[in-house]
Amino acid sequence: MGHSSVSASPGSQSRLRTVRLDGTPVYRYQQRPGLPPISVTRFDTETAHADLPPDHRHAHDFLVLVYVEEGAGSVVIGGAERPLRAGQVHAVSPGQVIGVADVTELAHSRAWSAAFTPDAVPALASVSPLTWTHHPLLALFGPGAGHGRVAEPDRATWSALLTDLAGELADPGRLGAREAIAATLTRLLVAAARLAPSAPGAPDPLVEQVFAEIEATFREPVSAADVARTLGYTPGHLTTVLRRRTGRPLLEWITERRMIEVRRMLRETDLPLDAVAARTGLRDATYLVRRFRNRYGTTPQRWRRAERAWP
C-alpha cells in the first residue's frame, strides 16, 4: 500500500504525526526532497486490510481524493456515512476522521487514492495556503461538498487520468515529468470540482479571521498567543475551536504557513538560511533547520539541492 485512502491507512508516503485524545491517529504527509508532494495508489481492499489501524479510524493532515471503480459497503468520513459505489468520488479534507463500519463489506471494492498537499498544483502554490480551502480547484473539499458521482461515460477518463498520473510518478526523473504530474493532477481537480455543488458552503468567519491574521503576521516572530490576543481570545480557546473546525491547532497553521514559505524561498532564491529564517518569522538558521528536519525529515540545504536537481 502507498498512501491512506478511504479504506486504508497511510504507508510509505506518510507517517504518524500525533494521536488525538480519543485515540485517533493523525498521519502527516512525508514528502521526499526533489519529488512532488503527491502519491497515487490503486488498490483493492482485500490487500489493504492488514494496514488498517485496529479500529479503522484515522485522519490525515493532507488532502485525499478517492475514486471508486467498483464498490460495496460504506465508509464514515467526518461523521457522515458515504457509500462506496462505482463512479463515486470522495474528497477527504485534512483533519477529517475516516472510519470503516465493516471491513468485510469492502472486499469487492477497487479504487484509486490520490494523496497530496495543495502546493503540488502550480495554481495553488502561487497563492497563500490559507486561501486553499476556498480555491475553485478544491471545491469538492469545501463546506457542503465532500463527494460526487462521475457520470458513466466519463469514468474511463477518470481511470485513465489516474493511470497516467501513477505512471509519471513511477519515473519522476524523466524529462517533463514535473510538468506532466502537475498538469494531470490539475485535470483531476478540475473534474472533481465540477462534481461539487454549484453553491459552495459559506466560509467560517472565525477561521477566516484567524487565517487573515496569520497571513498578515507570519513573517514576524509572532506566537499562537499573539494571534489569539489580537483577535480577542485566549490561546487555549482559539486552539480548541480551530482544531475542531479545521483539524489543526493554531500553532500548526502558523508553522505550516512558515514552512511553505521557507520551501518556496529555498526553491526560488539563493538566500542563506539566516535570511530565510528572518523573513519567515523563525528565530535563526539553527531553529529553522530543526523545524524543517522535524517536518520534512531532511535539512533545508539537502532539500534545496534535491529540488534543483529535479528536471
Side-chain angles (χ1 to χ4, degrees):
M1 283 297 297
H3 258 300
S4 169
S5 70
V6 169
S7 58
S9 64
S12 60
Q13 293 297 315
S14 55
R15 66 176 180 178
L16 184 65
R17 176 173 65 83
T18 187
V19 177
R20 294 180 179 172
L21 292 177
D22 64 359
T24 301
V26 180
Y27 293 91
R28 162 181 289 169
Y29 196 95
Q30 183 67 12
Q31 186 177 355
R32 291 179 291 178
L35 296 178
I38 174 173
S39 173
V40 174
T41 304
R42 186 174 188 271
F43 64 96
D44 62 68
T45 53
E46 289 180 341
T47 61
H49 295 169
D51 292 332
L52 284 165
D55 62 356
H56 315 315
R57 287 168 50 87
H58 64 281
H60 320 103
D61 72 353
F62 47 88
L63 298 163
V64 179
L65 190 67
V66 176
Y67 172 60
V68 182
E69 290 182 324
E70 294 182 19
S74 62
V75 293
V76 178
I77 302 176
E81 186 170 357
R82 299 184 189 173
L84 292 176
R85 300 291 184 270
Q88 286 287 146
V89 177
H90 298 282
V92 186
S93 297
Q96 283 191 307
V97 177
I98 306 164
V100 180
D102 184 353
V103 175
T104 59
E105 288 186 351
L106 307 182
H108 303 292
S109 296
R110 291 208 317 267
W112 288 91
S113 170
F116 61 98
T117 62
D119 54 335
V121 182
L124 296 172
S126 62
V127 299
S128 166
L130 302 180
T131 67
W132 285 340
T133 53
H134 304 305
H135 195 283
L137 281 178
L138 299 180
L140 197 63
F141 293 88
H147 61 96
R149 194 164 193 179
V150 179
E152 192 163 353
D154 298 328
R155 293 176 188 175
T157 299
W158 271 77
S159 294
L161 283 172
L162 286 156
T163 299
D164 289 347
L165 187 55
E168 293 293 344
L169 287 165
D171 188 7
R174 63 180 170 176
L175 181 65
R178 181 193 293 262
E179 291 76 14
I181 290 166
T184 307
L185 178 57
T186 300
R187 288 187 63 191
L188 275 173
L189 292 178
V190 168
R194 289 173 177 169
L195 301 176
S198 56
D204 186 310
L206 177 57
V207 173
E208 292 289 292
Q209 278 187 299
V210 172
F211 284 180
E213 182 62 21
I214 293 173
E215 186 64 25
T217 60
F218 79 90
R219 295 177 180 84
E220 304 298 325
V222 298
S223 65
D226 294 329
V227 172
R229 188 162 43 248
T230 298
L231 297 177
Y233 296 93
T234 65
H237 174 73
L238 192 57
T239 288
T240 299
V241 171
L242 205 62
R243 188 198 300 271
R244 185 166 60 246
R245 298 185 187 180
T246 70
R248 290 187 183 185
L250 176 57
L251 182 58
E252 280 195 18
W253 279 113
I254 297 171
T255 301
E256 184 70 7
R257 182 64 185 97
R258 286 171 171 158
M259 287 296 102
I260 288 172
E261 181 65 8
V262 166
R263 283 163 45 198
R264 186 195 68 78
M265 295 178 74
L266 291 174
R267 184 171 55 246
E268 299 178 6
T269 78
D270 294 316
L271 289 171
L273 294 187
D274 278 331
V276 173
R279 298 184 187 195
T280 52
L282 299 167
R283 190 178 308 138
D284 51 37
T286 301
Y287 183 68
L288 185 158
V289 170
R290 185 163 69 249
R291 298 294 302 183
F292 198 93
R293 189 195 296 272
N294 180 64
R295 179 64 179 87
Y296 302 112
T298 188
T299 65
Q301 298 93 327
R302 289 177 180 169
W303 176 279
R304 175 177 266 166
R305 288 195 297 270
E307 281 291 300
R308 295 183 177 187
W310 194 31

